[in-house]
Every structure is written in structure tokens, then in C-alpha cells.
Amino acid sequence: MTTRDVGSSAPGFRAAADTGDGPGPGVAPQSFADVLVSDLLVSPTLVAGATGTSREVSNVAVMAVPDIGPWLRTGQLLITTSAVLGRLVEPIDAFLARLDRRGVAGLAVRLDDPSATLPAEMSDAADELGFPVVVVADLYSQAHPLSGALAESSARQVDALFEADRLRRVLVDVVMAGGGFAELSVAVARELGGAVLITTPDGRQLCRAGDESELNRLASSAALDSTGRVRTDSTEGGLGLHRLGDESIAVSAISANGIDHGRLVQFSTGRRLRSEDLYLVEQAAAVCALVVARELVVSSVEEKHRANFIRDLLLGRGGEHEHVVAHAKTFGWDLDRPVVVVVIEPDPVGEDEPSMPRMPLVERQARAFTSAVAGRDTGAAVTALATETVILMGVGTDTMNLVHELVATVRGAGGGGRRAFGVGVSRPTDSVDGIPALYGQARTALKVGRQITGAWAVTHFDDLGVYRLLSLVEDDRELESFAQETLRELTADTSEAQDMRRTLEVLLATNINIAETARQLHFHYNTLRYRVVKLEKMLGSFTDHPELRLDLSLALKIMAMRGINS
């Protein structure tokens, strides 16, 4: 281990304006090496990470509690003791890596046992990261101008630790009494003040509580998008402390079993939230995770029964109509009426890795659709299967409008980074015996609609037309061969071929009405006549042969369905 003793006779470490956020006092920016030769640290000895001494230090904080996350700042010199480091839950190398990711400039450690040394794994990790670590005789010089601010920062952390312990006890009592998110949000708002929201990971509000005036201010603030979602599309899912003019917001993840389940949000206009407030919100979020864990145990069993029941229905082995209807009622579903089958499947595209693990995509989408359907069709069945979400919902005069409403609600404005999905809708049936056929219709509508429209396709089976027949041909090469043999040069991947295909498509749609085709394409009549002659030289005399027109129409639909040169 390389060590270096540094004297304290160099120019002092200059104080600057305090940020007021609780990370410790601000300082005039200077390198870590300059800090070592200042009179702030008492007998500093550089023990690891020597290659990082050029890092810039712009603020100083004392780490008085292991859960230092809310107080970390870029450019921070963090001062702590070996006793506090010994209380860390995470491994020391992981802790240093987290400090490095957050832009912390370096770490100063006072050894509570003067004969002790830092762990070898700590030194190795610091050297690998180029993260400077020094050992000091005391936390900081009591005579330095920053000592008062550092002592105050340390005291605020300790006060927050005791307040967090009291808050946890209050909230755990709520959970032990059977309370859920709604009761917890009320308790958090009562204890912390301001407005409190509990949301999904993408910001959809699940419950809210707090001062009514604060809730009204929150509804019109920049913290929410136009649909009322908390904006979670910023760095790390919107987590942390954020300033919004004279408003402030603290956001923490609700994580259970290593999976991101939502957000706990505190919003305040009456006072400016500080790092200590974020610390309390994070501790409250940990208690909220107990509710998630409790509900997961119950819902996992229930969801398994629901999924098995729906799977049996889709495979035609649900049983007699009366038995199925009665069983469905135990889940709160009404199948004793005309229903349609709606299938939702994520589009097969890449997805950026989230900042923390989340529940499987299909389960997230199923939950979102369950919430969206609840206010529109209380008897609808919504279930997540292996790769898709299946909805059995009542038939109305505006079924497709309702489906589009559901998609718009789940998709939302701004999206929060959610994955695109396709939707297929079946015809209706008034008997459970017809559900397997409807499921096949919805799957066909989903598959073909995605091929024709692309991402976010919402397709009804009755809108497929001849595409239904084409989708039954499993040999893609046979379809593509037919299209190429029929359209010939028009299958080329050129702008000219695409333009001529468009002309042919409108001609066929207007039953070779030259005047109407010219009007729709905004061509001069003679220009279109010239194009017709050119097309017939390539494809044959389709204006005189209905069979050829049918072949050409099918070939164009194959190209559209298969995405050939689209």
C-alpha cells in the first residue's frame, strides 16, 4: 500500500456559499491534491486511489450515517469514520463504486482504532477506480472556518436517522394493522407534510394524500405531465430531490424482492425540501415495499388460478357454460353476456435496461390494463399469460372506441419509456364455447395488424379482409415469390418503383377510373394515362383482364403485409 504524509502549512481550504440542500458547505472548487495540503484535514495520509487526486472538490460533507445516499453530491469530499463504514450493508467495493458513479471526489476516513488499517479490498477498489482515499487523525480541523457547517451537517444527518426510525415505527404499525398504499400515503403525508403520491414505476398515480392546497399545486406543476403522471423519464427514473422553481419534490423507488414496483413522492411548496427529507422519503418507501411484498404473496397465488382458468377457456376446456360463469364470478368477472377477446402483446423491439430490475413486461402491461379497464367495464377479465395480456370484455356499440381509449390510457402522453405493444380484437360471442375461436381471431388480428401497420397496431378481426386468407399461408417464400412474379419490376427497392406501386394501388381501388385516380394522386389526366400505358407494358393489360387485376391487388397486399420495400 502506498502512503503519503501531507503537511498542513499550505493555503487554507476556502469556503463558498452553502447550497442549503444539506450536503455540507460549498467551497471554492480546487483539486483533491490541493485539499490534501490545506488546513481542513488533520494529518491526512493518502492510502489509495492516488491517480484520482486531480478530481475537483466543490463541497464537503461528513458521513455520519451509513445511508448517505441523499446527501451525496458531485465534487464532494466525504469525511467519515471506520465505525460508520463498518455499518454499511453493501460491500465496501460496491460502496466506493457508488460514490464514484455519483461523482464524489474522494473519501477521508478517521480510524477509530489508531492501530487499524483500511481493508485491503477497499484499497484495491479505490486504486482500480482512481478514487482517492485518505486516512486522517480527526474528522476535520476544529479551528477551520468550515467546521461549524460540517458539524451542523453531521447533526442534521443524525437527527434524520432518529426521525427515520420513528417514522418507520409509525408506518410499520399501519402495515401491521392491515393498511395498504392508501393508508400509508395518508400516514406519510401526516408525518412529513406536503402532498404525497404513490405511483407505478412509470408515474401513474395509485393514491394521493396530504394538504388539499398542495395537491392542487402539484396537479398543475411541472412534476406531472399532461396526463397526471409523475415525470419518471429523467435520469434514474426521476429519483432524488428536484427543484421546480419555488416548489420541490422528493422521489424514491419502492423496491421489493429486487424489483422496482413504484415511486413514493413528496411534494412541497410551503417549505424547501432538503436532503434530510429525501432520506425520510426513502425510509418510508422501504416500508411501502412491505405492502408490495405482502400483496405479491397473495396475488401470486390468485393470479396463478386466474391465468390457469383463462388458459383453459382459450383452449376450449373450461367446462359447461354455467360452470364457467359461476367460476368467473369468484374472480369478479362477468362472462354471462356477449364478450370479445382482446390480446395485447409487446412489440418485438429492443428495450433499454432500466436503472433497476422491474417486474416482467407482460405483468406490468396487464396491471396497467387492469387499472384502465376497472373504471369502464367492472366485469372484464384481465390476465397476464406467458407472452401476452388477454382481456375478455363486454360487447357494446362502441367496442373499438373503448379499446382505443384503453390503449391511450395505458400508453399515456410522454410514455415514461414504456414498450410499444400491438392489440388484436375478435368478433363477439354470447357463449363461452366460442371463446377459443375468438382467441384465434384476436391473435390473427394482432399478427396481421402488426405486419401491416407496424408498432402500436390496434386491429379488429373484421377489418382484415383478404389479409385473413393471406395470413394462413405459412410459407413466406411462396407469398413473396407470388408478389415478385406478379409485380415484376415494381418490387424493386427504389423510389420510382414505390411511386408506381402507389399509382397502381389507387387505380385498382377506383376500378381503373382514370379521372378519379388522377384527382386522388393530384396528377394531370394525360400524365396518368401515360403511367397506365407504362404499367401495362410492365405488368400486362390489367385494364382489360379482371383476373390480372385480382392478382395485382393480392400481390400489393402481400408486399404491405410482409413489409417488402415498404
Side-chain angles (χ1 to χ4, degrees):
M1 183 189 304
T2 303
T3 62
R4 182 162 64 91
D5 294 322
V6 183
S8 58
S9 59
F13 198 31
R14 302 183 303 280
D18 192 346
T19 64
D21 294 339
V27 299
Q30 52 194 287
S31 70
F32 192 91
D34 289 337
V35 175
L36 289 179
V37 295
S38 73
D39 53 2
L40 172 67
L41 301 178
V42 180
S43 303
T45 301
L46 181 66
V47 295
T51 58
T53 54
S54 61
R55 295 183 181 218
E56 187 177 86
V57 178
S58 58
N59 62 93
V60 186
V62 173
M63 176 180 166
V65 298
D67 299 325
I68 190 63
W71 290 275
L72 293 178
R73 296 291 182 272
T74 299
Q76 188 173 68
L77 168 61
L78 196 59
I79 306 173
T80 189
T81 69
S82 57
V84 174
L85 291 179
R87 297 188 181 99
L88 290 172
V89 175
E90 61 190 326
I92 192 65
D93 53 347
F95 172 68
L96 290 184
R98 179 157 64 95
L99 298 186
D100 184 58
R101 286 195 304 272
R102 292 290 296 272
V104 174
L107 182 66
V109 183
R110 185 194 70 193
L111 298 177
D112 295 293
D113 181 356
S115 63
T117 59
L118 296 179
E121 59 269 22
M122 181 177 183
S123 300
D124 292 342
D127 286 333
E128 183 177 348
L129 293 168
F131 184 83
V133 175
V134 299
V135 170
V136 292
D138 204 350
L139 291 180
Y140 46 82
S141 170
Q142 299 297 326
H144 195 276
L146 294 181
S147 61
L150 290 173
E152 180 186 354
S153 173
S154 176
R156 289 209 309 260
Q157 290 181 36
V158 174
D159 287 344
L161 182 67
F162 284 107
E163 177 61 20
D165 183 64
R166 187 192 69 80
L167 177 64
R168 277 194 299 269
R169 293 174 185 271
V170 170
L171 299 183
V172 167
D173 285 344
V174 172
V175 176
M176 296 299 291
F181 280 163
E183 292 79 9
L184 279 176
S185 63
V186 171
V188 173
R190 182 181 64 244
E191 297 297 324
L192 301 186
V196 171
L197 301 179
I198 295 180
T199 78
T200 61
D202 57 7
R204 285 180 292 111
Q205 295 186 32
L206 299 177
C207 52
R208 47 192 279 149
D211 181 79
E212 195 62 34
S213 63
E214 292 277 38
L215 288 169
N216 292 335
R217 285 286 298 272
L218 172 59
S220 59
S221 78
L224 307 184
D225 67 16
S226 59
T227 68
R229 296 176 186 268
V230 176
R231 297 184 184 277
T232 59
D233 51 358
S234 58
T235 303
E236 295 186 358
L239 304 178
L241 198 62
H242 306 279
R243 302 279 180 246
L244 308 168
D246 62 345
E247 305 164 344
S248 52
I249 184 170
V251 185
S252 177
I254 299 174
S255 178
N257 299 330
I259 296 176
D260 183 8
H261 290 276
R263 299 286 181 269
L264 177 62
V265 179
Q266 182 189 13
F267 174 85
S268 175
T269 57
R271 67 182 181 86
R272 190 176 184 182
L273 298 181
R274 307 179 64 156
S275 301
E276 291 76 24
D277 297 294
L278 176 59
Y279 180 70
L280 294 177
V281 169
E282 289 181 346
Q283 302 309 305
V287 179
C288 290
L290 295 177
V291 173
V292 174
R294 182 186 66 194
E295 292 180 350
L296 284 176
V297 172
V298 176
S299 66
S300 62
V301 177
E302 293 180 346
E303 182 58 33
K304 181 178 180 180
H305 287 305
R306 287 194 292 265
N308 287 339
F309 175 63
I310 291 295
R311 192 176 291 109
D312 285 343
L313 275 183
L314 300 181
L315 294 176
R317 58 191 189 200
E320 297 295 329
H321 180 90
E322 293 75 13
H323 169 75
V324 170
V325 169
H327 196 171
K329 285 183 178 179
T330 65
F331 298 125
W333 300 338
D334 181 9
L335 299 185
D336 193 19
R337 56 177 177 163
V339 297
V340 295
V341 176
V342 182
V343 176
I344 302 102
E345 183 179 71
D347 285 343
V349 294
E351 179 181 27
D352 294 336
E353 287 296 320
S355 56
M356 65 176 64
R358 301 172 68 178
M359 72 172 63
L361 177 61
V362 172
E363 291 185 28
R364 300 202 308 267
Q365 291 183 343
R367 288 194 176 193
F369 274 99
T370 299
S371 177
V373 170
R376 297 170 172 87
D377 184 349
T378 56
V382 185
T383 307
L385 300 182
T387 60
E388 62 192 7
T389 298
V390 175
I391 304 176
L392 305 182
M393 56 186 286
V395 178
T397 57
D398 57 351
T399 300
M400 283 306 293
N401 287 337
L402 177 55
V403 171
H404 282 289
E405 281 184 26
L406 297 176
V407 170
T409 300
V410 172
R411 183 176 180 181
R418 291 180 305 284
R419 277 272 298 274
F421 52 81
V423 181
V425 185
S426 74
R427 291 171 172 170
T429 183
D430 56 4
S431 170
V432 295
D433 293 337
I435 288 178
L438 265 59
Y439 174 64
Q441 292 174 7
R443 286 292 313 166
T444 298
L446 170 64
K447 174 186 174 184
V448 178
R450 176 179 285 158
Q451 290 172 329
I452 299 170
T453 309
W456 299 109
V458 180
T459 313
H460 194 284
F461 182 72
D462 282 341
D463 294 334
L464 295 181
V466 72
Y467 289 115
R468 285 169 49 196
L469 299 178
L470 295 176
S471 67
L472 298 177
V473 180
E474 297 182 357
D475 191 343
D476 290 351
R477 292 174 299 178
E478 185 62 33
L479 288 174
E480 292 175 12
S481 175
F482 174 81
Q484 290 168 355
E485 290 173 3
T486 304
L487 295 174
R488 303 176 189 178
E489 296 98 317
L490 294 190
T491 60
D493 188 13
T494 64
S495 58
E496 180 182 3
Q498 188 175 23
D499 187 37
M500 293 299 286
R501 287 201 304 271
R502 174 59 180 159
T503 301
L504 176 62
E505 183 179 6
V506 178
L507 275 168
L508 295 172
T510 61
N511 198 25
I512 317 301
N513 187 322
I514 304 298
E516 176 60 19
T517 302
R519 187 190 68 79
Q520 290 189 25
L521 294 176
H522 306 289
F523 287 161
H524 189 277
Y525 184 86
N526 290 335
T527 300
L528 188 59
R529 293 287 302 177
Y530 169 76
R531 286 199 166 206
V532 171
V533 172
K534 186 175 180 180
L535 284 169
E536 290 199 315
K537 286 182 178 178
M538 288 189 288
L539 306 174
S541 182
F542 60 86
T543 58
D544 297 326
H545 294 87
E547 295 82 0
L548 179 55
R549 292 201 296 272
L550 176 59
D551 288 348
L552 292 172
S553 179
L554 288 174
L556 288 171
K557 292 185 181 299
I558 290 171
M559 293 193 69
M561 189 174 74
R562 300 298 178 183
I564 303 172
N565 299 337
S566 57

